[in-house]
Amino acid sequence: MFNSLELTGRASTHVREVPELGCILHGEAMLQALAMRAAARAAGIELAIVSSFRDFDRQLAIWNAKFAGERQLLDRDGRALTHAHLSESALIDAILIWSALPGASRHHWGTDIDVVDRAAVAHDYRPQLVPAEFGRNGPFARLDAWLAANMATFGFFRPYTTDRGGVQPEPWHLSFAPLAEPALAALTPQVLSAALAASEMHGRAAVLARLPEIYARYVTAIDPPRVNLPPRPF
Ligand SMILES: [Zn+2]
């Protein structure tokens, strides 16, 4: 279904622009996202996608800026870390709890979206994408409950719901299971390592030396879908 360039965000042949949603997605994920938005709208929720497909180079730019200390690093509790105090390995973990490894972002697949509810906030509100916004007193509490009850109908699940010691909980991040599950299975450490070896990533040697552990902790340690996957034609 996805080739190795598509799996690692180095091609965009599997995605398309979706003007209605202002984003870029795989065609099947797009159809279900549109259907989910219509259902949410009927419930008074204005589902807006703030992040969708992101390519390898974009993820690499984020990674390299953080690795170089040009972007703020935070610990698990959101406290600022001092770049100069971190060993190379600690720096890698500090990046990975908040940002995916280039080549391993689920956003590379065109199956994953970050969503907010525009009906719940003022038009000039800038979503921070922090768990408190989706908590009981946050502006997106209704969206959170609606997604929990309804997203599976459209094939979506939330891979970063609980803290599994890797990626921080991201209640805004939805994944289209019928495509994302096979994509994750196809994104083997070998596929990922080949993509990284061909890149200009800061800390590349240290990441490749730790890849099996990084892969287990930050790529495959997700909350599994509670979606009944329909039989697929391919
Ligand atoms: Zn996301």
Side-chain angles (χ1 to χ4, degrees):
M1 45 176 297
F2 293 109
N3 64 42
S4 60
L5 291 178
E6 294 168 341
L7 282 173
T8 52
R10 292 175 295 159
S12 55
T13 37
H14 54 308
V15 294
R16 60 166 87 166
E17 298 235 15
V18 188
E20 309 96 298
L21 296 170
C23 70
I24 300 174
L25 285 174
H26 188 287
E28 288 184 46
M30 170 197 77
L31 290 174
Q32 292 302 321
L34 284 166
M36 183 165 67
R37 185 180 66 160
R41 185 171 283 165
I45 289 167
E46 201 57 46
L47 196 75
I49 297 176
V50 295
S51 186
S52 56
F53 170 73
R54 193 181 305 144
D55 71 9
F56 183 96
D57 286 342
R58 174 85 190 102
Q59 199 66 31
L60 182 67
I62 295 168
W63 176 277
N64 281 349
K66 289 195 169 181
F67 202 94
E70 295 159 8
R71 278 175 73 152
Q72 183 63 58
L73 294 163
L74 303 173
D75 69 10
R76 287 193 175 277
D77 300 316
R79 287 182 299 244
L81 289 166
T82 304
H83 182 264
H85 294 171
L86 300 172
S87 67
E88 190 176 46
S89 206
L91 175 56
I92 287 168
D93 285 301
I95 301 172
L96 285 171
I97 58 174
W98 298 105
S99 300
L101 190 63
S105 171
R106 299 177 68 93
H107 286 287
H108 291 335
W109 306 333
T111 58
D112 285 45
I113 50 180
D114 297 334
V115 299
V116 299
D117 174 12
R118 286 281 175 212
V121 291
H123 73 278
D124 58 350
Y125 179 83
R126 291 194 58 183
Q128 305 297 302
L129 297 188
V130 292
E133 289 178 309
F134 289 73
R136 184 177 303 190
N137 298 314
F140 305 135
R142 257 193 91 217
L143 170 64
D144 186 69
W146 190 88
L147 289 171
N150 297 284
M151 65 183 165
T153 307
F154 305 95
F156 286 92
F157 75 109
R158 293 195 268 200
Y160 309 124
T161 306
T162 55
D163 187 349
R164 293 172 174 257
V167 178
Q168 288 288 288
E170 296 187 356
W172 52 86
H173 184 116
L174 313 186
S175 188
F176 183 60
L179 290 168
E181 282 290 284
L184 181 59
L187 181 71
T188 60
Q190 291 73 26
V191 168
L192 184 53
S193 133
L196 296 178
S199 79
E200 300 289 325
M201 185 176 78
H202 291 343
R204 187 180 58 188
V207 166
L208 287 173
R210 285 183 52 193
L211 197 61
E213 169 233 326
I214 286 174
Y215 179 80
R217 186 164 170 194
Y218 296 105
V219 181
T220 56
I222 60 161
D223 295 285
R226 279 178 287 174
V227 173
N228 292 323
L229 299 183
R232 295 192 54 74
F234 51 84

